[in-house]
């Protein structure tokens, strides 16, 4: 039987007293004796920046305001039931999330389906998978489940034998795209691209990156393994005491930077699985426990504004504004705050009057969708308090029940670069609605910080105020919530700072993951071609397509010569153009060339509204950034088609 813990969301009197004690200075984060190694009052990660008591004051004030608000809404609070997993259940759920459920249980005989996926994993990623499969295997044997459970070593050996050489973490390859194309097994030419495993054979000192460069070409967990083993890593660990965040940057990649939203849904599913495995491998290497929490489904509100699941909110909002991805009330509250001025001193820090907030909340529930709510009655600080209340009142946290603890545990990782890498992977794991809402929130917070000279809200101040609203969700707390909350206060505030400061980096899909997706697609295509039924289908499709092309072919549609690509723009007046590839030609240059053809509806389109897409070959679909060097990308995916179109909103 699974144990279930029902947790009250109301603060205890002792907790309120503890808060007041903290605020009055009885419990200081940096007590005098904590300056000596032997006198630390709690375990501080070396990665936490030193934050003095004064800088933490905003955090405790905000926490007091939160508990005061909860006290005024006792009858509305609902306890959340959290599952305590049985032995092996976490690992079994992890394998399902990673798309590897057929490695165990009744479907284990079909594990060949995972051969393609497993063939793209790095050494550290494989180790993470093996560890979970082994745990599930042992658990099933203990429970006398007589399913055929293959040895995970046989699974990896099987995929090696079935396709010859694969990237197993030991064969050398080039980090940059090779200009020499390899012959595939089916005789077609394909690109050679790195999965980021070759670097494990190179000394860390030889890596061509500075301390502030974020290397997206090599698996983060492989980098961590190298860093951990190297003398450089041992010297560089622990960076506490630095209140300034590094100026991290992503070096330009000639094949283009891939952002969340640039890939087709079928490829994003692969990204999710790979990000989960990579994050787990990273935490394994760094010795930090990674456990996904699971909440039992409970009855939630199926309409309204506050305390309504994001999915329900968006469903009702899309009936009014089709295609909207951000809750309308969330957008309106931000707009209301900005309508006045972002220069208001203490914005986000100074709370609205609690009784007025409660009254406005009730009025919004009844009048918002009717369009009869009078926004002129909402003061700026009230709107800010309502925004924070909306975040806190979500039935499950914005950072999700599954990953909230992992977000919190980012503070435990040894270096700031590793913390940023973990946050990058965690953002990739968030559901689309949560991720989109978080992005809008972080962008708004940055705009507030941009006016810090007037509003006195620096990055640190904003992080202190917002951290309790995102990280102190009480749904799966324990009896030690009070003590835990104090210990993690500075850490979660620092995680909040990272999320605001590096938000543009966090929405980037690492190149090594995109390359793994390309590898999966390539191997899947090769596997499909070996199937006789698929060959028949492909032959028929090719015949139909050739017949159709013969009917509509024009002299300009002749076979494209080497070094030239055919770019299609079905929605522009110039629908097709042959483009000669050069070393310096970028995606933005091609778009500009099409837009320069002044005729038809092209005059109504702006450059920022249309993009060049890479479609097919070893990727489903990818929107290219303007700085993508086309010759380098062509070498990476020579079988792609190139189409100019507007981006889906």
């Amino acid at each position: 039987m699974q144990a279930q813990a029902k947790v009250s969301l109301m603060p205890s009197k002792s907790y309120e007293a503890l808060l007041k004690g903290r605020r009055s200075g009885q419990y200081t984060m940096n007590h005098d004796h904590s300056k000596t190694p032997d006198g630390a009052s709690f375990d501080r990660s070396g990665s936490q920046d030193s934050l003095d008591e004064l800088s933490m004051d905003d955090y405790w004030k905000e926490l007091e305001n939160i508990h005061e608000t909860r006290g005024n809404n006792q009858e509305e609070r609902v306890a959340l039931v959290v599952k305590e997993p049985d032995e092996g259940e976490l690992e079994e759920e992890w394998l399902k999330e990673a798309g590897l459920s057929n490695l165990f249980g009744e479907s284990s005989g079909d594990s060949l389906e995972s051969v393609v996926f497993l063939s793209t994993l790095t050494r550290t990623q494989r180790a993470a998978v093996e560890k979970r499969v082994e745990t599930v295997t042992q658990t099933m044997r203990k429970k006398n489940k007589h399913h055929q459970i293959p040895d995970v070593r046989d699974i990896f050996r099987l995929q090696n034998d079935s396709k010859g050489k694969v990237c197993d973490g030991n064969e050398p390859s080039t980090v940059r795209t090779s200009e020499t194309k390899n012959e595939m097994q089916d005789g077609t030419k394909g690109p050679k691209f790195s999965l980021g495993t070759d670097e494990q054979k190179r000394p860390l000192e030889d890596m061509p990156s500075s301390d502030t460069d974020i290397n997206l070409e090599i698996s983060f967990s492989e980098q961590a393994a190298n860093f951990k083993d190297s003398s450089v890593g041992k010297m560089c660990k622990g960076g506490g005491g630095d209140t300034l965040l590094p100026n991290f940057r992503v070096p330009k990649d000639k094949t283009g930077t891939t952002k969340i939203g640039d890939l087709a849904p079928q490829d994003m599913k692969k990204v999710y699985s790979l990000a989960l495995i990579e994050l787990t491998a990273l935490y394994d290497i760094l010795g930090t426990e990674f456990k996904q929490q699971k909440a039992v489904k409970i009855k939630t509100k199926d309409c309204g504004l506050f305390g309504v699941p994001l999915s329900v909110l968006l469903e009702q909002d899309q009936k009014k504004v089709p295609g909207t991805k951000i809750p309308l009330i969330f957008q309106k509250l931000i707009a209301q705050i900005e309508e006045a001025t972002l220069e208001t001193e203490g914005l986000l820090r100074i709370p609205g009057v609690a009784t007025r907030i409660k009254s406005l909340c009730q009025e919004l529930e009844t009048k918002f969708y009717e369009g009869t709510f009078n926004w002129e009655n909402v003061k700026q600080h009230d709107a800010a308090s309502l925004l924070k209340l909306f975040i806190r009142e979500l039935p499950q946290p914005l950072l999700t029940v599954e990953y909230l603890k992992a977000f919190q545990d980012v503070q435990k990782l040894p270096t700031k670069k590793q913390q940023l890498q973990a946050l990058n992977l965690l953002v990739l794991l968030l559901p689309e609605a949560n991720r989109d809402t978080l992005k809008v929130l972080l962008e708004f917070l940055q705009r507030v910080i941009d006016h810090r000279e007037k509003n006195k809200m620096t990055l640190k101040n904003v992080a202190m105020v917002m951290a309790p609203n995102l990280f102190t969700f009480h749904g799966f707390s324990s009896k030690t919530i009070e003590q835990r909350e104090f210990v993690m206060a500075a850490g979660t505030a620092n995680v909040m700072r990272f999320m605001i400061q590096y938000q543009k980096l966090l929405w980037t899909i690492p190149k090594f993951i995109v390359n793994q997706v390309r590898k999966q697609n390539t191997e899947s295509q090769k596997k499909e071609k070996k199937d006789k039924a698929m060959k028949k289908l492909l032959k028929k499709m090719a015949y139909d397509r050739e017949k159709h092309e013969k009917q509509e072919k024009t002299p300009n549609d002749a076979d494209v010569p080497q070094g030239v690509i055919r770019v299609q723009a079905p929605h522009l007046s110039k629908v097709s153009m042959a483009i000669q590839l050069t070393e310096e030609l970028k995606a933005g240059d091609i778009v500009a060339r099409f837009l320069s053809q002044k005729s038809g509806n092209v005059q109504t389109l702006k450059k920022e509204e249309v993009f060049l897409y890479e479609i097919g070959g070893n990727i489903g679909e990818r929107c290219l950034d303007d700085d993508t060097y086309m010759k380098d990308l062509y070498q990476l995916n020579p079988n792609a088609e190139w189409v100019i179109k507007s981006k889906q909103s």
Side-chain angles (χ1 to χ4, degrees), residues 4 16 20 41 50 180 206 284 342 384 474 480 512 568 629:
Q4 296 183 353
E16 291 174 342
K20 290 178 180 177
S41 55
S50 62
T180 305
D206 294 341
D284 283 353
L342 292 180
H474 286 224
T480 61
F512 72 87
Q568 307 291 336
Y629 285 83

Side-chain angles (χ1 to χ4, degrees), residues 366-540:
T366 57
K367 297 181 179 180
F368 178 72
Y369 286 116
E370 295 177 359
T372 58
F373 182 79
N374 186 1
W375 285 96
E376 292 181 2
N377 295 333
V378 181
K379 298 180 180 179
Q380 192 179 36
H381 290 310
D382 292 343
S385 292
L386 285 167
L387 181 71
K388 292 185 288 185
L389 180 66
F390 173 86
I391 296 169
R392 296 196 306 272
E393 289 291 304
L394 289 171
Q396 295 194 13
L398 186 60
L399 302 179
T400 72
V401 168
E402 288 83 359
Y403 298 114
L404 181 58
K405 187 176 185 300
F407 271 97
Q408 293 170 342
D409 288 346
V410 164
Q411 61 181 294
K412 298 178 181 177
L413 302 185
T415 71
K416 293 182 175 65
K417 185 178 287 189
Q418 289 163 349
Q419 292 170 12
L420 182 57
Q421 291 169 338
L423 283 174
N424 184 193
L425 296 169
L426 282 166
V427 167
L428 291 174
L429 292 173
L430 291 176
E432 188 176 355
N434 298 63
R435 190 168 57 220
D436 291 342
T437 304
L438 177 64
K439 187 174 190 291
V440 169
L441 174 64
L442 295 177
E443 289 171 347
F444 164 67
L445 296 179
Q446 184 57 57
R447 293 195 295 274
V448 172
I449 294 165
D450 290 342
H451 293 80
R452 57 189 172 275
E453 293 298 326
K454 295 289 181 66
N455 61 30
K456 310 301 181 188
M457 295 300 291
T458 63
L459 172 61
K460 186 183 290 186
N461 296 138
V462 171
M464 290 294 169
V465 169
M466 293 306 299
N469 292 282
L470 262 73
F471 287 99
T472 57
F473 183 80
H474 286 224
F476 45 82
S477 306
S478 65
K479 291 181 180 179
T480 61
I481 177 61
E482 295 91 348
Q483 290 78 15
R484 256 193 344 112
E485 203 161 74
F486 290 127
V487 170
M488 74 180 187
T492 54
N494 277 318
V495 174
M496 191 75 227
R497 282 208 299 161
F498 265 58
M499 291 168 67
I500 299 171
Q501 177 80 2
Y502 304 121
Q503 54 187 279
K504 290 183 179 178
L505 293 179
L506 298 183
W507 263 257
T508 301
I509 303 176
K511 184 178 180 180
F512 72 87
I513 287 182
V514 177
N515 279 351
Q516 287 179 296
V517 171
R518 292 184 187 276
K519 180 74 171 175
Q520 285 183 37
N521 291 337
T522 300
E523 295 301 324
S524 294
Q525 290 162 9
K526 288 162 66 177
K527 192 170 182 289
E528 286 174 0
K529 287 179 181 179
K530 290 178 182 178
D531 185 270
K532 289 183 180 180
M534 182 60 71
K535 276 189 176 182
K536 277 188 176 182
L537 180 61
L538 289 173
K539 188 175 181 180
K540 184 178 184 303

Side-chain angles (χ1 to χ4, degrees), residues 601-624:
N601 65 347
V602 72
Q603 296 175 1
T604 64
L605 292 172
K606 299 178 182 177
K607 189 174 186 299
E608 58 269 18
E609 294 175 342
V610 290
F611 298 86
L612 180 59
Y613 278 76
E614 168 195 7
I615 300 176
N618 54 39
I619 203 76
E621 179 176 298
R622 176 175 173 241
C623 179
L624 305 182

Side-chain angles (χ1 to χ4, degrees), residues 339-366:
E339 192 174 290
T341 173
L342 292 180
E343 296 181 354
T344 305
E345 187 169 339
L347 185 59
L348 294 177
R349 177 173 54 80
I350 298 175
V353 178
T355 53
R356 191 166 63 234
I357 297 301
K358 184 176 182 180
S359 175
L360 287 170
C361 197
Q362 293 170 345
E363 195 176 349
L364 277 166
E365 291 281 7
T366 57

Side-chain angles (χ1 to χ4, degrees), residues 325-337:
K325 294 186 174 182
I326 311 298
L328 296 179
I329 182 62
F330 195 78
Q331 295 182 52
K332 180 58 183 174
L333 288 170
I334 289 177
Q336 184 70 16
I337 296 169

Side-chain angles (χ1 to χ4, degrees), residues 576-645:
S576 178
M577 192 184 294
I579 303 290
Q580 177 69 52
L581 295 176
T582 65
E583 294 292 339
E584 299 303 319
L585 182 70
K586 297 181 182 179
D589 300 331
I590 296 177
V591 174
R593 194 175 301 181
F594 271 84
L595 293 177
S596 67
Q597 308 293 316
K598 300 290 185 181
S599 61
N601 65 347
V602 72
Q603 296 175 1
T604 64
L605 292 172
K606 299 178 182 177
K607 189 174 186 299
E608 58 269 18
E609 294 175 342
V610 290
F611 298 86
L612 180 59
Y613 278 76
E614 168 195 7
I615 300 176
N618 54 39
I619 203 76
E621 179 176 298
R622 176 175 173 241
C623 179
L624 305 182
D625 74 64
D626 286 344
D627 290 330
T628 301
Y629 285 83
M630 294 305 299
K631 188 173 182 180
D632 292 82
L633 182 57
Y634 172 76
Q635 291 162 352
L636 185 65
N637 191 5
N639 299 316
E641 294 182 357
W642 312 96
V643 179
I644 292 177
K645 61 180 182 175

